[in-house]
Amino acid sequence: MSVWPAWEVQEHDGATSWFHVRLAFPDGARVDALAVVCEQTVSVEDVRAQPALSLDDLTVLADWLEGSLFEACGLEPVLAEGEEWTESGGARRARPAWPRGIEGRWQIAQEYRAAQEEGVDPVLAVMCATGHSRRRSLRLISQARDAGFLTPRHARR
């Protein structure tokens, strides 16, 4: 993730800071955003993504950006219940350990199909459920396909 300042407005009791943010993923996906940090909160003003983000993806975007933006402002975020500090200085949500093996693959397939039925990005749903990166989540989805829990991605000619 890359973060660089756009501008800042000084107010009598603090400052509001705007930042340009870029998330680049190994598979070529990219998200560019204009984010605002004010009073220990992060808001997203503008987003451009390739491929496009779903509405559910947009709702969690500020959470993804929060740690890096607070660090850029020299602030420490207030941790919510169930969050903990990571070694990199950011916050992460505590989550139960994801099962391995066939049970884990079955649960990946359940998350994937539930997201499809809701009309949201299934890869992001798996990322959120497991806490893994996009690349690792795609690998887990592939393993669920290989185990027969999901239909094949593409028919080969």
Side-chain angles (χ1 to χ4, degrees):
M1 177 181 330
S2 301
V3 177
W4 61 98
W7 64 90
E8 181 175 274
V9 174
Q10 294 288 330
E11 299 170 323
H12 62 283
D13 60 345
T16 301
S17 303
W18 282 260
F19 293 89
H20 294 288
V21 181
R22 173 167 288 160
L23 293 165
F25 298 93
D27 65 355
R30 189 174 87 193
V31 177
D32 292 305
L34 180 63
V36 180
V37 177
C38 181
E39 298 177 7
Q40 295 289 82
T41 61
V42 172
S43 301
V44 179
E45 296 276 321
D46 184 37
V47 177
R48 290 191 176 116
Q50 187 63 29
L53 295 175
S54 69
L55 290 176
D56 287 336
D57 297 344
L58 287 171
T59 61
V60 297
L61 183 61
D63 291 338
W64 288 350
L65 306 178
E66 186 175 78
S68 296
L69 290 170
F70 282 165
E71 184 178 312
C73 291
L75 299 172
E76 289 189 22
V78 178
L79 296 177
E81 186 177 328
E83 287 186 333
E84 59 187 39
W85 286 108
T86 62
E87 289 181 16
S88 65
R92 77 173 169 95
R93 295 197 176 14
R95 63 189 168 275
W98 195 262
R100 297 183 181 269
I102 201 75
E103 181 183 346
R105 291 180 185 124
W106 182 81
Q107 286 187 11
I108 293 289
Q110 296 302 311
E111 290 288 338
Y112 188 94
R113 281 196 296 272
Q116 280 182 321
E117 289 172 7
E118 293 173 11
V120 298
D121 181 358
V123 176
L124 183 62
V126 171
M127 289 170 62
C128 292
T130 63
H132 290 300
S133 68
R134 182 174 183 83
R135 183 179 205 163
R136 177 71 177 134
S137 295
L138 288 168
R139 200 172 306 139
L140 293 170
I141 292 165
S142 176
Q143 291 171 357
R145 287 187 199 291
D146 292 345
F149 295 125
L150 294 170
T151 59
R153 180 75 175 150
H154 301 288
R156 302 205 177 184
R157 295 178 188 202

